Amino acid sequence: MTVKDQDGKVLFSKTKEYEVYDLHLPQNKEGYEGFDDWDLTAMTHINLGLEPLETDSLTFVVPLKENTKSAEVEATYKFTYEENDTAVWKKVSKKIEF
């Protein structure tokens, strides 16, 4: 999410990452023929993601200077399928006049 003033100056920016991991931890069983990193049954699944049809709501307080006439709020939902490769799934923006 990014908030910009009427001159395009960024007033606030915040990124929230939803992630899912499959990790081989020391307490996990040994994978098939010793291939721990490839055997999903030998891994611990850590889901810090957002499930289908699930919503998340966050509230931020953005202090504005007295001479701020408007602010543009933009929220972007991106899917990162590989390091440095993302696809924008949804982008929403709203202009607020003061």
Side-chain angles (χ1 to χ4, degrees):
M1 183 184 92
T2 303
V3 179
K4 297 180 182 177
D5 68 7
Q6 68 274 0
D7 300 321
K9 180 182 175 192
V10 175
L11 304 173
F12 179 82
S13 184
K14 182 78 172 177
T15 300
K16 167 104 176 163
E17 293 187 12
Y18 301 94
E19 300 173 309
V20 177
Y21 300 99
D22 288 306
L23 302 173
H24 186 78
L25 303 174
Q27 68 269 19
N28 290 99
K29 69 173 187 154
E30 186 174 321
Y32 176 72
E33 292 187 6
F35 293 107
D36 301 332
D37 293 337
W38 300 102
D39 185 354
L40 291 178
T41 65
M43 297 181 143
T44 297
H45 184 72
I46 301 171
N47 187 354
L48 303 174
L50 198 58
E51 295 296 325
L53 303 177
E54 184 179 339
T55 60
D56 190 9
S57 178
L58 302 170
T59 302
F60 301 102
V61 176
V62 181
L64 302 173
K65 292 187 177 179
E66 189 175 325
N67 62 348
T68 304
K69 296 178 177 72
S70 67
E72 180 91 21
V73 180
E74 181 178 280
T76 305
Y77 185 78
K78 299 178 187 177
F79 178 73
T80 303
Y81 51 91
E82 238 178 64
E83 190 175 343
N84 298 321
D85 287 327
T86 61
V88 174
W89 281 5
K90 182 149 186 151
K91 183 186 284 192
V92 178
S93 64
K94 183 173 183 175
K95 186 172 186 177
I96 302 167
E97 302 282 339
F98 303 106

